[in-house]
Amino acid sequence: MTRLPDQTLLARRCSRRDALKSLTSGAIAAGAGKLLFDRAAFAEETKPMKVQPRPWVQVRGIYGGFPDAILKRGETPADYGINAIWVGSSGLNQDKIEQYHQLGVKVFAEFNSMHFASYLKKHPEAAPIGADGSPSPAPHGWQGVSAFDAGYRKNRMDEFRRVLETYAIDGIWLDYHHSHASWERAEPDMPDTDFSQEALKQFQRKTGISLPDSVPAAAEKLLGRHRRAWTQFRCDVFTDWVREYREILEAVRPQTLLGTFHCPWSPEDYDGAIRHKLAIDLPAQAKYLDIFSIMPYHARFGHPQDPAWIARQTKELGRLLKLRGDSSEKQQIWPIVQLADWGEPVAVDQVSTVLDYGTRQPSSGVMAFLWNGISKDWEKVEALGRFYRGIRSS
């Protein structure tokens, strides 16, 4: 299939040209040695590292359910260096949680925050509203729900509480906690939403900015002269959801971790889309989160031959959150990296490289996506095991 140029790559090329110009002008004043040093540092950061103990890596995980295929082979997760798994909240089973705990494996749940589309069958009024005043079509079939719908918010919070009350999990990760959009691909589709009457009412009440009664007219102003205020308002609402999730967790199972799976873009990528389009404000959410699981699916997102992109995005996240990957820090970064074929294939001989870049500081943990796909090619499982065993410090 013919692929259009990846806008992220184009944006990065531009930013690198700007950086090079800056470095060049600096070299005139400070000497060419500085420029040569920076190039050498960049090369050092991106070259492959040896598979050897990485004591800063706390978690070596897999995402996508209980890996019973390992047990059926008469082996244990520890034989593959695995010490953590992520299971969808609908697939949790207390007996199996206890079984894996006895095997020394942490069990984390994945929780669907803004993509519980079946809710719309009985509550169509909760659909995100586009700039034309009508329900926004699902981009690439991805159907989100409005963060401003009180009934939907209660539904998700009640389910979040139920999961924590029912299962002795070690942590729970928010998934799809962003606005109505399809970004998990090389060519994202991110419509402008959510211009529901409730959202417009809340915005005016909070900001004091008056809007026209017509949704298209209001949207025109919100996407124009009031874009910054509108973006911040939406980000604040999504952050407040995280605050409430945290409040429930502290009341029900305070010893568990609260994590999030989130878009791997930097603040500048796609013209700031992580905030303007997806309503994700990671520094603000950090107050309530323990773990940030950035999703740098290199093959899926247009970087199949550039797995070093994983480390670059993780490093930029560390800069944004001021995290180094030190075990003493309150928040940690555990990337989820692509090993299964999804859109673009990931070859067996790339497994170690992908995991290498996924475990470089400020990362202090990693998980492989997706167990169902990886386990269909046992050579990948064995390659994962060799890497995980190799970096294990004890």
Short mmCIF file of all heavy atoms in Angstrom, two decimals, residues 283-311:
data_model
loop_
_atom_site.label_atom_id
_atom_site.label_comp_id
_atom_site.label_asym_id
_atom_site.label_seq_id
_atom_site.Cartn_x
_atom_site.Cartn_y
_atom_site.Cartn_z
N PRO A 283 1.99 16.54 32.00
CA PRO A 283 2.51 17.14 33.24
C PRO A 283 1.41 17.37 34.28
O PRO A 283 1.64 17.19 35.47
CB PRO A 283 3.12 18.46 32.74
CG PRO A 283 3.51 18.19 31.34
CD PRO A 283 2.41 17.31 30.80
N ALA A 284 0.21 17.76 33.84
CA ALA A 284 -0.88 17.97 34.78
C ALA A 284 -1.37 16.65 35.36
O ALA A 284 -1.67 16.55 36.56
CB ALA A 284 -2.03 18.71 34.09
N GLN A 285 -1.44 15.61 34.53
CA GLN A 285 -1.89 14.31 35.00
C GLN A 285 -0.89 13.65 35.95
O GLN A 285 -1.25 12.78 36.76
CB GLN A 285 -2.17 13.38 33.82
CG GLN A 285 -3.35 13.79 32.96
CD GLN A 285 -3.60 12.82 31.81
OE1 GLN A 285 -3.12 11.69 31.83
NE2 GLN A 285 -4.36 13.27 30.82
N ALA A 286 0.36 14.07 35.86
CA ALA A 286 1.42 13.45 36.67
C ALA A 286 1.14 13.52 38.16
O ALA A 286 1.60 12.68 38.93
CB ALA A 286 2.76 14.11 36.36
N LYS A 287 0.38 14.50 38.58
CA LYS A 287 0.05 14.66 39.99
C LYS A 287 -0.71 13.45 40.52
O LYS A 287 -0.66 13.15 41.72
CB LYS A 287 -0.79 15.93 40.17
CG LYS A 287 -1.20 16.24 41.60
CD LYS A 287 -1.98 17.54 41.66
CE LYS A 287 -2.40 17.87 43.08
NZ LYS A 287 -3.19 19.14 43.15
N TYR A 288 -1.39 12.73 39.63
CA TYR A 288 -2.26 11.63 40.05
C TYR A 288 -1.77 10.25 39.59
O TYR A 288 -2.37 9.24 39.96
CB TYR A 288 -3.67 11.86 39.50
CG TYR A 288 -4.20 13.24 39.80
CD1 TYR A 288 -4.32 14.19 38.77
CD2 TYR A 288 -4.54 13.61 41.09
CE1 TYR A 288 -4.79 15.46 39.04
CE2 TYR A 288 -5.01 14.89 41.37
CZ TYR A 288 -5.13 15.81 40.35
OH TYR A 288 -5.59 17.08 40.61
N LEU A 289 -0.72 10.21 38.80
CA LEU A 289 -0.28 8.95 38.20
C LEU A 289 1.04 8.47 38.78
O LEU A 289 1.88 9.26 39.21
CB LEU A 289 -0.12 9.12 36.68
CG LEU A 289 -1.41 9.38 35.90
CD1 LEU A 289 -1.09 9.87 34.50
CD2 LEU A 289 -2.27 8.11 35.84
N ASP A 290 1.20 7.15 38.76
CA ASP A 290 2.47 6.54 39.18
C ASP A 290 3.35 6.19 37.99
O ASP A 290 4.56 6.37 38.02
CB ASP A 290 2.20 5.27 40.01
CG ASP A 290 1.40 5.55 41.26
OD1 ASP A 290 1.85 6.37 42.08
OD2 ASP A 290 0.31 4.96 41.40
N ILE A 291 2.72 5.66 36.93
CA ILE A 291 3.47 5.14 35.79
C ILE A 291 2.94 5.72 34.48
O ILE A 291 1.74 5.76 34.24
CB ILE A 291 3.39 3.60 35.71
CG1 ILE A 291 3.64 2.94 37.07
CG2 ILE A 291 4.36 3.07 34.65
CD1 ILE A 291 5.04 3.11 37.61
N PHE A 292 3.88 6.14 33.64
CA PHE A 292 3.55 6.59 32.29
C PHE A 292 4.02 5.52 31.30
O PHE A 292 5.23 5.28 31.18
CB PHE A 292 4.22 7.93 31.98
CG PHE A 292 3.66 9.08 32.76
CD1 PHE A 292 4.09 9.34 34.04
CD2 PHE A 292 2.68 9.88 32.20
CE1 PHE A 292 3.56 10.40 34.77
CE2 PHE A 292 2.14 10.94 32.93
CZ PHE A 292 2.58 11.20 34.21
N SER A 293 3.08 4.90 30.61
CA SER A 293 3.43 3.89 29.61
C SER A 293 3.23 4.47 28.22
O SER A 293 2.17 4.31 27.59
CB SER A 293 2.62 2.61 29.82
OG SER A 293 3.06 1.94 30.99
N ILE A 294 4.25 5.17 27.77
CA ILE A 294 4.26 5.72 26.43
C ILE A 294 4.15 4.58 25.42
O ILE A 294 4.64 3.47 25.67
CB ILE A 294 5.55 6.54 26.23
CG1 ILE A 294 5.57 7.25 24.88
CG2 ILE A 294 6.79 5.69 26.44
CD1 ILE A 294 6.76 8.19 24.72
N MET A 295 3.51 4.82 24.28
CA MET A 295 3.22 3.77 23.30
C MET A 295 3.97 3.99 21.99
O MET A 295 3.36 4.24 20.93
CB MET A 295 1.71 3.70 23.05
CG MET A 295 0.89 3.44 24.29
SD MET A 295 -0.89 3.77 24.06
CE MET A 295 -1.34 2.54 22.83
N PRO A 296 5.27 3.88 21.97
CA PRO A 296 6.03 4.12 20.73
C PRO A 296 6.08 2.88 19.83
O PRO A 296 7.11 2.21 19.69
CB PRO A 296 7.42 4.50 21.25
CG PRO A 296 7.55 3.72 22.51
CD PRO A 296 6.17 3.63 23.10
N TYR A 297 4.96 2.56 19.20
CA TYR A 297 4.89 1.41 18.29
C TYR A 297 5.60 1.79 16.99
O TYR A 297 4.98 2.30 16.05
CB TYR A 297 3.44 1.03 18.01
CG TYR A 297 2.64 0.60 19.21
CD1 TYR A 297 1.25 0.60 19.17
CD2 TYR A 297 3.25 0.20 20.40
CE1 TYR A 297 0.49 0.20 20.27
CE2 TYR A 297 2.51 -0.20 21.49
CZ TYR A 297 1.11 -0.19 21.42
OH TYR A 297 0.37 -0.59 22.51
N HIS A 298 6.87 1.55 16.94
CA HIS A 298 7.70 2.08 15.85
C HIS A 298 7.24 1.63 14.47
O HIS A 298 7.20 2.41 13.52
CB HIS A 298 9.17 1.70 16.07
CG HIS A 298 9.44 0.25 15.86
ND1 HIS A 298 8.93 -0.74 16.68
CD2 HIS A 298 10.16 -0.40 14.90
CE1 HIS A 298 9.31 -1.92 16.24
NE2 HIS A 298 10.06 -1.75 15.17
N ALA A 299 6.89 0.34 14.33
CA ALA A 299 6.48 -0.17 13.02
C ALA A 299 5.10 0.36 12.62
O ALA A 299 4.89 0.80 11.49
CB ALA A 299 6.48 -1.70 13.04
N ARG A 300 4.19 0.35 13.55
CA ARG A 300 2.82 0.81 13.29
C ARG A 300 2.79 2.30 12.95
O ARG A 300 1.98 2.75 12.13
CB ARG A 300 1.96 0.54 14.52
CG ARG A 300 0.53 1.08 14.46
CD ARG A 300 -0.32 0.32 13.49
NE ARG A 300 -1.70 0.78 13.53
CZ ARG A 300 -2.67 0.33 12.73
NH1 ARG A 300 -2.38 -0.59 11.82
NH2 ARG A 300 -3.89 0.77 12.82
N PHE A 301 3.67 3.08 13.57
CA PHE A 301 3.61 4.53 13.45
C PHE A 301 4.56 5.10 12.40
O PHE A 301 4.89 6.29 12.43
CB PHE A 301 3.88 5.19 14.80
CG PHE A 301 2.83 4.89 15.85
CD1 PHE A 301 3.11 5.08 17.19
CD2 PHE A 301 1.59 4.42 15.50
CE1 PHE A 301 2.15 4.80 18.16
CE2 PHE A 301 0.63 4.14 16.45
CZ PHE A 301 0.90 4.34 17.79
N GLY A 302 5.02 4.26 11.47
CA GLY A 302 5.80 4.77 10.36
C GLY A 302 7.30 4.80 10.55
O GLY A 302 8.00 5.48 9.80
N HIS A 303 7.82 4.05 11.53
CA HIS A 303 9.26 4.01 11.77
C HIS A 303 9.78 2.56 11.79
O HIS A 303 10.55 2.19 12.67
CB HIS A 303 9.59 4.67 13.12
CG HIS A 303 9.04 6.04 13.27
ND1 HIS A 303 9.73 7.18 12.89
CD2 HIS A 303 7.84 6.49 13.75
CE1 HIS A 303 9.00 8.25 13.13
NE2 HIS A 303 7.84 7.86 13.65
N PRO A 304 9.36 1.73 10.83
CA PRO A 304 9.72 0.30 10.89
C PRO A 304 11.21 0.03 10.87
O PRO A 304 11.67 -0.97 11.42
CB PRO A 304 9.03 -0.29 9.66
CG PRO A 304 8.86 0.86 8.72
CD PRO A 304 8.59 2.03 9.60
N GLN A 305 12.00 0.90 10.23
CA GLN A 305 13.44 0.71 10.16
C GLN A 305 14.20 1.66 11.09
O GLN A 305 15.41 1.81 10.97
CB GLN A 305 13.92 0.90 8.72
CG GLN A 305 13.24 -0.02 7.71
CD GLN A 305 13.36 -1.49 8.10
OE1 GLN A 305 14.41 -1.94 8.55
NE2 GLN A 305 12.26 -2.23 7.93
N ASP A 306 13.48 2.26 12.01
CA ASP A 306 14.10 3.23 12.92
C ASP A 306 13.65 2.96 14.36
O ASP A 306 13.03 3.81 14.99
CB ASP A 306 13.73 4.65 12.50
CG ASP A 306 14.40 5.72 13.35
OD1 ASP A 306 15.46 5.43 13.95
OD2 ASP A 306 13.85 6.84 13.44
N PRO A 307 13.97 1.80 14.91
CA PRO A 307 13.56 1.52 16.29
C PRO A 307 14.17 2.45 17.32
O PRO A 307 13.67 2.55 18.44
CB PRO A 307 14.00 0.07 16.51
CG PRO A 307 15.09 -0.15 15.51
CD PRO A 307 14.70 0.67 14.31
N ALA A 308 15.24 3.17 16.95
CA ALA A 308 15.81 4.15 17.88
C ALA A 308 14.81 5.26 18.20
O ALA A 308 14.96 5.97 19.21
CB ALA A 308 17.09 4.75 17.30
N TRP A 309 13.78 5.42 17.34
CA TRP A 309 12.70 6.37 17.61
C TRP A 309 12.07 6.11 18.97
O TRP A 309 11.65 7.05 19.66
CB TRP A 309 11.66 6.26 16.49
CG TRP A 309 10.47 7.15 16.63
CD1 TRP A 309 10.40 8.49 16.42
CD2 TRP A 309 9.14 6.74 17.00
NE1 TRP A 309 9.12 8.95 16.63
CE2 TRP A 309 8.32 7.90 16.99
CE3 TRP A 309 8.56 5.51 17.33
CZ2 TRP A 309 6.97 7.85 17.29
CZ3 TRP A 309 7.22 5.46 17.63
CH2 TRP A 309 6.42 6.62 17.61
N ILE A 310 12.02 4.85 19.38
CA ILE A 310 11.45 4.49 20.69
C ILE A 310 12.19 5.22 21.80
O ILE A 310 11.58 5.85 22.68
CB ILE A 310 11.53 2.96 20.90
CG1 ILE A 310 10.71 2.23 19.85
CG2 ILE A 310 11.09 2.59 22.31
CD1 ILE A 310 10.99 0.73 19.77
N ALA A 311 13.52 5.13 21.78
CA ALA A 311 14.33 5.76 22.82
C ALA A 311 14.25 7.28 22.76
O ALA A 311 14.24 7.96 23.78
CB ALA A 311 15.78 5.30 22.70
#
